């Protein structure tokens, strides 16, 4: 089985130094544009049986504390739309074509993946750190986690017809920015262990 492992940064796969040789690794850089372009190019150049996106995320859900690992099965480009004074208008509201929501309707039948909680996410250009904007996005979409790449990765896989999974570890709660409360080391350690388990079950 040929597998593409996708991460935004080297740090997010730091705990996977002993990964199998048959796995191709793609470091895209941070953000939606880089992830969509780099993943699409990789999937066009070679045929993969599985694409696995690993990374960290912020959690809106108090039940998903730092160090938790989740399987993001639904993701949305949260900022795609327009402002009408204090109201946010989605593409549907604007009657414009586009795909802001991406769902993994047929995730791999992987025992380790199935043990992870399935969650909904949003993908953003600017991570939330303001109480007012956090409240607004929770009312709008009720996300559980947020990242800067997830929806872009899922879109690239969906249009390429490649089975995929997006797996993320919570590094922080989404709140007024408090870098001291982040647990990046714990998150990356948890992420590495979860990814190893998933790959061992392939």
């Amino acid at each position: 089985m040929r597998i593409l492992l996708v991460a935004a940064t080297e740090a997010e796969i730091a705990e996977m130094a002993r990964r199998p040789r048959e796995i191709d690794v793609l470091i895209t850089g941070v953000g939606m544009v880089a992830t969509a372009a780099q993943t699409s190019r990789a999937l066009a150049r070679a045929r993969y049986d599985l694409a696995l996106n690993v990374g960290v995320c912020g959690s809106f859900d108090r039940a998903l504390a730092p160090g938790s690992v989740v399987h993001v099965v639904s993701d949305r480009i949260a900022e795609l739309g327009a402002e009408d004074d204090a109201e946010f208008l989605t593409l549907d509201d604007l009657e414009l074509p586009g795909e802001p929501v991406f769902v993994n309707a047929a995730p791999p039948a992987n025992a380790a993946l199935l043990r992870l909680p399935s969650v909904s996410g949003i993908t953003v250009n600017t991570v939330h750190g303001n109480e007012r904007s956090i409240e607004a996005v929770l009312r709008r979409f009720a996300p559980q986690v947020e990242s800067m790449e997830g929806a872009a990765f899922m879109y690239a896989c969906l249009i390429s017809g490649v089975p995929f999974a997006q797996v993320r570890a919570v590094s922080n709660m989404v709140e007024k920015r408090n870098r001291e409360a982040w647990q990046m080391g714990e998150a990356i350690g948890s992420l590495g262990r979860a990814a190893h388990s998933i790959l061992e079950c392939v």
Side-chain angles (χ1 to χ4, degrees), residues 29-185:
V30 173
M32 284 181 265
V33 173
T35 298
Q38 296 279 11
T39 303
S40 293
R41 182 171 67 173
L43 295 179
R45 287 178 168 177
R47 181 66 194 177
Y48 290 96
D49 302 295
L50 172 66
L52 177 63
N53 177 215
V54 298
V56 296
C57 64
S59 173
F60 295 93
D61 186 342
R62 293 292 167 181
L64 301 173
S68 303
V69 180
V70 298
H71 177 201
V72 183
V73 296
S74 174
D75 212 326
R76 169 189 285 271
I77 302 175
E79 299 151 330
L80 191 57
E83 288 184 339
D84 182 3
D85 195 13
E87 184 180 1
F88 179 82
L89 304 178
T90 66
L91 292 187
D92 286 342
D93 295 328
L94 296 166
E95 299 183 351
L96 292 175
E99 296 184 55
V101 182
F102 309 99
V103 177
N104 192 350
N110 182 288
L113 188 63
L114 291 172
R115 288 194 290 269
L116 299 177
S118 296
V119 304
S120 63
I122 57 172
T123 299
V124 296
N125 283 309
T126 303
V127 296
H128 287 84
N130 173 277
E131 291 177 0
R132 184 177 297 176
S133 66
I134 292 168
E135 290 173 3
V137 81
L138 282 169
R139 285 196 306 271
R140 198 174 296 145
F141 302 128
Q144 291 168 277
V145 298
E146 74 173 2
S147 76
M148 300 179 79
E149 297 86 21
F153 165 81
M154 291 175 69
Y155 192 22
C157 293
L158 286 167
I159 63 175
S160 299
V162 176
F164 66 93
Q166 182 194 163
V167 174
R168 295 196 172 269
V170 175
S171 60
N172 60 284
M173 303 308 297
V174 179
E175 58 189 359
K176 184 176 179 180
R177 189 170 177 83
N178 179 12
R179 192 67 174 83
E180 292 182 359
W182 289 20
Q183 298 180 34
M184 190 65 73

